[in-house]
Amino acid sequence: MTLKTVEGLRSEIFVPNIPKAVFNELKKPLSECKVAFITAGGIHNKKDKPFNTSGDFSYREIPFDTPSSELMVTHGGFDNSDINKDVNAMFPIDRLHELVEEGFIGSLPEVTYTFMGGGGNVEKFREETGPEIAKKLKEQGVDVVLCTGGCGTCHRSATIVTRACEEAGMSCVVIAALPPIARQQGAPRIAAAHVPIGSNAGEPNNVEMQMGILKDSLEWVRDCPSYNQTKMLPYEYRHNV
């Protein structure tokens, strides 16, 4: 049988287009690594300009010595109530300092970067936002990058930026509430607990769960055998609205 093609004909069958593999094996102990945390969840300093909730590809700088009480969320794509209770549910800045004090990780960079991935311009994230964030983290000597996303579109944007960080030579993981999206978009590694959107890093004010998710995600960066693999984490939290 001879197969024929017709110019201009398009299939009605959706075929996922997974991006090329990007994967850097972590070659240092976690205790010696400088670890950054970025998020597409719309977290920013209270004194900063809020994100445009109808679509925004800009990012904000957050010094890692910022008190968590000075951070807030601006995002219209998911329920923000858990973050309003405890910003560590999406951006676990307090837990990261505790991991340094414990010696589980080596250090944190002076500054990290956050963005609002919902409704974002894919090309802008791929060509501008992602490479800019990756360059700035790499210049600070970052070894590992963890990332969370809020809504479904945020998970796409989070994965795009995380891939840019991986391409720049860092080892990265998306901590996802919607792991299939991160996987389809080509995240280098995915870690996912059974949590609602907005609480990717754990139930608000549940220090034990947040620490468990962070530690297990970091260990997955170290232990993941190959590109685009998902690790389901043994934590569950249901948000009762």
Side-chain angles (χ1 to χ4, degrees), residues 18-23 163 183 185-189 224-229:
I18 297 178
K20 69 175 183 179
V22 286
F23 188 82
R163 285 176 55 83
R183 182 172 175 80
Q185 294 295 318
R189 304 164 188 80
C224 181
S226 61
Y227 166 71
N228 203 222
Q229 299 298 306

Side-chain angles (χ1 to χ4, degrees), residues 36-59:
F37 200 105
I38 61 176
T39 181
I43 308 297
H44 61 90
N45 197 300
K46 291 178 179 178
K47 66 183 181 182
D48 287 342
K49 179 183 177 181
F51 292 104
N52 181 350
T53 56
S54 64
D56 199 331
F57 59 87
S58 65
Y59 59 91

Side-chain angles (χ1 to χ4, degrees), residues 23-30 33-37 104-105 142-147 162 166 169-175 188-191 213-227 229-231 233:
F23 188 82
N24 293 303
E25 182 183 354
L26 184 64
K27 297 182 178 180
K28 294 171 62 175
L30 289 169
C33 288
K34 180 175 285 188
V35 176
F37 200 105
F104 192 87
I105 58 176
V142 169
D143 302 297
V144 174
V145 179
L146 295 86
C147 183
T162 302
E166 193 87 19
M170 294 165 275
S171 300
C172 310
V173 62
V174 174
I175 302 175
R189 304 164 188 80
I190 304 106
I213 288 174
L214 271 181
K215 286 184 174 181
D216 286 2
S217 297
L218 284 162
E219 289 174 346
W220 185 230
V221 173
R222 181 194 65 200
D223 300 337
C224 181
S226 61
Y227 166 71
Q229 299 298 306
T230 300
K231 180 176 183 177
L233 307 182

Side-chain angles (χ1 to χ4, degrees), residues 1-18:
M1 181 177 72
T2 302
L3 298 177
K4 296 183 178 180
T5 60
V6 178
E7 185 175 353
L9 181 66
R10 295 191 177 190
S11 171
E12 295 181 357
I13 302 172
F14 173 73
V15 179
N17 181 21
I18 297 178

Side-chain angles (χ1 to χ4, degrees), residues 54-233:
S54 64
D56 199 331
F57 59 87
S58 65
Y59 59 91
R60 306 287 183 268
E61 291 190 355
I62 297 182
F64 257 117
D65 61 1
T66 304
S68 57
S69 60
E70 294 301 312
L71 301 175
M72 63 174 289
V73 58
T74 301
H75 200 304
F78 63 92
D79 183 352
N80 298 168
S81 60
D82 279 348
I83 299 175
N84 290 334
K85 295 174 187 174
D86 177 19
V87 73
N88 290 286
M90 180 64 84
F91 184 69
I93 187 168
D94 293 331
R95 305 291 84 79
L96 290 162
H97 284 291
E98 291 162 8
L99 287 177
V100 174
E101 293 173 4
E102 183 182 322
F104 192 87
I105 58 176
S107 62
L108 304 172
E110 290 187 6
V111 177
T112 193
Y113 308 93
T114 62
F115 46 102
M116 199 288 295
N121 184 314
V122 172
E123 293 305 316
K124 290 287 187 179
F125 273 105
R126 183 176 293 120
E127 303 299 328
E128 296 180 22
T129 308
E132 287 179 19
I133 289 175
K135 181 175 183 292
K136 291 183 176 183
L137 291 175
K138 189 67 175 178
E139 288 174 347
Q140 294 183 78
V142 169
D143 302 297
V144 174
V145 179
L146 295 86
C147 183
T148 51
C151 66
T153 309
C154 281
H155 278 70
R156 179 191 68 190
S157 303
T159 299
I160 290 171
V161 176
T162 302
R163 285 176 55 83
C165 293
E166 193 87 19
E167 288 177 335
M170 294 165 275
S171 300
C172 310
V173 62
V174 174
I175 302 175
L178 300 170
I181 296 177
R183 182 172 175 80
Q184 196 278 325
Q185 294 295 318
R189 304 164 188 80
I190 304 106
H194 302 277
V195 294
I197 296 171
S199 301
N200 303 38
E203 181 181 10
N205 301 308
N206 187 333
V207 174
E208 183 179 2
M209 180 185 291
Q210 293 171 3
M211 286 291 276
I213 288 174
L214 271 181
K215 286 184 174 181
D216 286 2
S217 297
L218 284 162
E219 289 174 346
W220 185 230
V221 173
R222 181 194 65 200
D223 300 337
C224 181
S226 61
Y227 166 71
N228 203 222
Q229 299 298 306
T230 300
K231 180 176 183 177
M232 295 304 301
L233 307 182

